[in-house]
Amino acid sequence: MERTDRTAGEGERVPGDAPGRLSGVEGAVAALRAGELLIMPTETVYGLAADAGNPDSVAKIFEAKGRPRFNPLISHVADAVAAERIAVFDDAARRLAAAFWPGPLTIVAPCRDMTVVSDLARAGLDSIAVRVPGHARARAVLDAFGGPVVAPSANRSGRPSPTTFADAMEETGSFASAALDGGPCAVGVESTVVSVLDGRVALLRPGSVTREEIEALVGPLDGAGEGHRSPGRLTRHYAPVSPVRLEAGEAGAGEILLGFGPGVGVERWSLSPSGDLREAAANLFRLLREADREGPAAIAVAPIPATGLGEAINDRLERAAGFVG
């Protein structure tokens, strides 16, 4: 596919089958602010990007990728200062950031403000995965946007991650309203993921920043990493204290019913009164948490179709109910 970028700020259009998608940084930022998706280059792989704070936009990513589970997503920011606005860094995290940012290292740390990055992007966890990418065009977008952007690989789930603009457009370009051509990805594999939680440093996902390079800075890594906090390493996500009962037709005594569809339960607790799967995905973690705070006998959940985005919603609910380890 013909390249369309000359300078980071141009507002050119992607040729061929995507006549309406602005390819300059200005158009990319406008798409993010409008709640739309963006094909964004990084030095690792091309990402399908969205405003990390907008749960509806994040849901569009899962829908576009056909992602079977709500893995936590990496929040990309322009610099280390921006990273510390959303994550709590200790000395080890700051040493790693100073050594490897901008670059292909993701740091998982306690979340500083859970209102900035949506529950859906964090998969309901109290930690956050954050990275400063090394690609100049990605950082130009992040700097102009002024907030965190999630950008998992721009492939359909289960397919190889795209490392060229053409491959990214072929995979998920039809779901994006803007696209940036940043040339071939220099690294070509997803970022290394390291957690810095409770005074321990653990390698959650290997990548081009090696174990040896990390240990040279922070000492031996802890072997008991929490894989569920890393993109691509899901085991179990946030589960409420209250029992979760699935496929519920109505609420039992002392239960709260999370409804789905017209006339199912009360609107206050409906995942989507209209039966919209994207809306249900965006509301899922918030409503589970809010219902749990009420201390019900159980959280009952109405049936959710298992098609499309419903597969991911049902996967998450099964984990919350303890059916999946």
Side-chain angles (χ1 to χ4, degrees):
M1 181 176 290
E2 176 188 347
R3 287 191 56 181
T4 60
D5 64 317
R6 295 187 182 87
T7 65
E10 286 185 350
E12 300 177 15
R13 295 182 184 274
V14 178
D17 63 351
R21 273 169 274 179
L22 291 169
S23 61
V25 169
E26 182 179 350
V29 171
L32 292 172
R33 288 178 177 159
E36 300 299 332
L37 302 186
L38 162 71
I39 297 290
M40 186 175 80
T42 77
E43 75 279 19
T44 57
V45 299
Y46 272 81
L48 186 61
D51 177 358
N54 185 332
D56 291 326
S57 299
V58 176
K60 290 179 183 178
I61 290 178
F62 288 97
E63 187 175 41
K65 286 175 64 66
R67 204 175 178 103
R69 298 174 179 172
F70 288 146
N71 289 2
L73 303 179
I74 297 169
S75 291
H76 297 73
V77 293
D79 53 39
V81 173
E84 291 211 50
R85 293 194 191 108
I86 59 174
V88 179
F89 277 14
D90 59 14
D91 288 343
R94 292 191 182 100
R95 289 199 298 273
L96 291 168
F100 299 114
W101 283 357
L105 178 76
T106 294
I107 297 174
V108 176
C111 186
R112 184 179 296 278
D113 185 347
M114 294 189 186
T115 67
V116 176
V117 174
S118 69
D119 269 355
L120 189 58
R122 291 182 290 100
L125 298 168
D126 58 3
S127 58
I128 187 168
V130 63
R131 179 165 91 90
V132 177
H135 198 290
R137 298 207 92 193
R139 291 204 312 281
V141 170
L142 295 167
D143 187 59
F145 181 65
V149 170
V150 290
S153 56
N155 55 293
R156 295 285 293 172
S157 186
R159 288 181 53 79
S161 298
T163 57
T164 68
F165 181 67
D167 285 346
M169 292 298 291
E170 181 181 358
E171 284 283 329
T172 55
S174 62
F175 295 93
S177 66
L180 283 172
D181 183 351
C185 298
V187 175
V189 295
E190 290 83 356
S191 63
T192 303
V193 180
V194 174
S195 69
V196 287
L197 300 166
D198 301 322
R200 301 183 294 112
V201 183
L203 180 65
L204 304 187
R205 183 176 75 182
S208 63
V209 176
T210 67
R211 175 186 295 272
E212 291 75 18
E213 289 174 314
I214 296 166
E215 290 185 332
L217 281 177
V218 299
L221 297 178
D222 193 297
E226 298 182 79
H228 66 295
R229 298 185 183 273
S230 171
R233 287 289 188 269
L234 176 67
T235 55
R236 185 176 177 83
H237 292 319
Y238 166 87
V241 174
S242 305
V244 175
R245 183 169 68 89
L246 305 182
E247 301 291 324
E250 59 184 14
E255 293 184 337
I256 290 176
L257 175 66
L258 301 188
F260 180 82
V264 181
V266 299
E267 186 171 352
R268 165 70 181 84
W269 295 111
S270 180
L271 292 166
S272 173
S274 65
D276 182 270
L277 288 171
R278 186 182 297 166
E279 182 182 22
N283 287 330
L284 177 61
F285 292 113
R286 176 181 61 82
L287 287 179
L288 277 173
R289 183 174 283 111
E290 290 181 2
D292 201 30
R293 291 193 188 109
E294 299 290 320
I299 301 171
V301 186
I304 307 291
T307 57
L309 199 53
E311 181 183 3
I313 295 170
N314 280 297
D315 173 88
R316 175 59 187 89
L317 287 169
E318 289 170 2
R319 290 170 185 279
F323 296 153
V324 181

